[in-house]
């Protein structure tokens, strides 16, 4: 019996989209890739994102890539997550959200 091919999953958390793909560890070639955008809410200097929508979008694109990679007979050896800029959530003392996530493009 031959060993399964090995892949790693990479998820990039962008400002308005999640990009995800799998890479064959031996050939270093793309196995499968997907991306999905999500809305930013901009009004003047305000730039926000909805964390629930971001989470659902990330989960959807990551699940798609994992499922397709497994269907192609790969053994997933790990998941890497990358992000360049930051979004943060303002919370109260009990960690209740005070507003949507404030995106790095926000000018407040």
């Amino acid at each position: 019996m031959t060993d399964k091919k090995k892949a790693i999953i990479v998820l990039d958390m962008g400002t308005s989209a999640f990009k995800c793909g799998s890479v064959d560890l031996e050939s270093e070639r793309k196995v499968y890739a997907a991306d999905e955008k999500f809305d930013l809410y901009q009004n003047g200097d305000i730039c926000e994102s909805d964390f629930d929508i971001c989470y659902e979008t990330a989960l959807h694109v990551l699940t798609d890539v994992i499922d397709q990679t497994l269907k192609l007979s790969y053994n997933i050896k790990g998941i890497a997550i990358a992000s360049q800029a930051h979004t943060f959530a303002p919370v109260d003392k009990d960690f209740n959200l005070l507003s949507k996530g404030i995106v790095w493009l926000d000018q407040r």
Side-chain angles (χ1 to χ4, degrees), residues 78-96:
I79 299 174
I81 300 174
S83 178
Q84 176 185 354
H86 301 285
T87 297
F88 70 91
V91 296
D92 66 15
K93 64 182 178 85
D94 297 317
F95 288 92
N96 297 307

Side-chain angles (χ1 to χ4, degrees), residues 40-48 102-108:
L40 288 180
Y41 304 96
Q42 293 183 285
N43 184 7
D45 289 342
I46 295 171
C47 187
E48 299 175 331
I102 298 176
V103 177
W104 67 276
L105 296 169
D106 195 285
Q107 298 294 313
R108 285 180 271 184

Side-chain angles (χ1 to χ4, degrees), residues 21-40:
S22 53
V23 177
D24 182 297
L25 287 175
E26 186 174 320
S27 69
E28 298 181 357
R29 292 191 179 175
K30 176 180 73 174
V31 175
Y32 182 82
D35 62 83
E36 193 167 331
K37 293 183 178 191
F38 55 88
D39 290 331
L40 288 180

